[in-house]
Amino acid sequence: MTGSSTLLGASMLSTLPTMANSALTKSQNVVVNSDRADHIVPILTGNEFDLYVSEKMITVNGKSSMATLINDSLPAPTLKMQEGDTVTIRVHNQLNESTSIHWHGLLVPFEMDGVPGISFDGIPAGSTFTYKFKLTQSGTYWYHSHTGFQEQTGMRGAIVIEPKGRERYPIEEDHVILLSDWTHRDPHNLLKLLKQRADFDNYHLPDFKNCYLILQQRI
């Protein structure tokens, strides 16, 4: 687990697309420690966003591996929007492969849904795709890649849509906690192992001999 992340207001970070995470070290290596609460995730606000997708080396709990990041942040920046606004989100693919972003839970036109092979063709390497849709709801949602294992390697973030009217229960400040599993294994190899061995990472397989004896006792 990467642990919970403390979110601080940082709308000005949208003007620094290649260094959007204040948690970056001088070597531009994202460091996440699950036992510390000082990892800052950017909050981008407004109705226009530029998201840069790239691969970077990260360190999670002292161990390094390659990750798929948005604006050099793990998790990806929190996008804060306003119900009723029409938002424009430009996704710049700096990877050597195709990518995509799906807006999980949002009601959007089908061509803006971001699922390759169903609603659009994906975002080719070295290109930019512009998502544009009107926000017809409010609440907390999330966004993530729908390409390969990019979500599993870090390409996911939160969305906060403020209601058009007053909050039902006004508060001074809110925080988003995004929890996810993390593995330093290559997700392709991990899936292969899971497909080949039912007991891989499964420490609670049923003991069929004992189950049979218990069943016999009940009959």
Side-chain angles (χ1 to χ4, degrees):
M1 301 288 285
T2 58
S4 61
S5 300
T6 302
L7 304 184
L8 302 178
S11 59
M12 69 177 191
L13 291 175
S14 61
T15 63
L16 303 172
T18 59
M19 283 290 290
N21 191 344
S22 58
L24 290 177
T25 64
K26 292 182 180 179
S27 61
Q28 296 189 19
N29 183 34
V30 178
V31 179
V32 180
N33 295 298
S34 62
D35 58 342
R36 297 176 58 179
D38 58 355
H39 181 67
I40 301 173
V41 176
I43 299 178
L44 308 182
T45 63
N47 56 19
E48 288 199 27
F49 304 88
D50 282 280
L51 304 181
Y52 293 78
V53 184
S54 65
E55 273 192 337
K56 292 289 174 65
M57 189 65 68
I58 65 161
T59 301
V60 177
N61 290 344
K63 189 174 181 180
S64 296
S65 58
M66 192 64 72
T68 309
L69 305 178
I70 293 179
N71 292 16
D72 289 351
S73 179
L74 179 69
T78 296
L79 307 182
K80 198 166 187 179
M81 312 170 181
Q82 185 76 38
E83 181 185 6
D85 282 357
T86 295
V87 296
T88 300
I89 307 171
R90 293 175 288 270
V91 179
H92 309 276
N93 185 4
Q94 299 177 334
L95 300 173
N96 293 321
E97 62 182 15
S98 179
T99 192
S100 61
I101 292 183
H102 169 64
W103 315 100
H104 200 105
L106 297 192
L107 302 174
V108 299
F110 77 92
E111 64 273 18
M112 297 288 110
D113 193 48
V115 180
I118 297 180
S119 59
F120 81 141
D121 295 328
I123 308 171
S127 69
T128 297
F129 182 85
T130 301
Y131 292 90
K132 189 171 185 178
F133 47 85
K134 185 173 182 179
L135 301 172
T136 60
Q137 61 205 101
S138 62
T140 304
Y141 305 89
W142 69 301
Y143 65 103
H144 58 88
S145 172
H146 232 288
T147 303
F149 289 100
Q150 293 171 1
E151 177 198 328
Q152 287 75 15
T153 55
M155 194 172 163
R156 52 187 179 265
I159 300 171
V160 177
I161 304 176
E162 298 286 357
K164 192 172 183 180
R166 281 184 47 189
E167 290 274 8
R168 182 179 297 180
Y169 304 105
I171 57 174
E172 292 183 3
E173 186 178 8
D174 60 4
H175 298 271
V176 176
I177 299 176
L178 179 61
L179 301 177
S180 64
D181 291 324
W182 182 261
T183 177
H184 290 287
R185 296 176 182 267
D186 182 323
H188 296 87
N189 293 336
L190 184 58
L191 179 63
K192 184 179 179 180
L193 288 168
L194 290 169
K195 291 286 188 179
Q196 290 177 338
R197 292 174 44 191
D199 63 333
F200 182 75
D201 273 354
N202 186 350
Y203 308 108
H204 302 285
L205 283 175
D207 185 326
F208 292 104
K209 184 178 179 180
N210 286 338
C211 286
Y212 176 76
L213 291 175
I214 292 172
L215 183 61
Q216 288 296 102
Q217 292 172 1
R218 293 180 178 178
I219 294 176

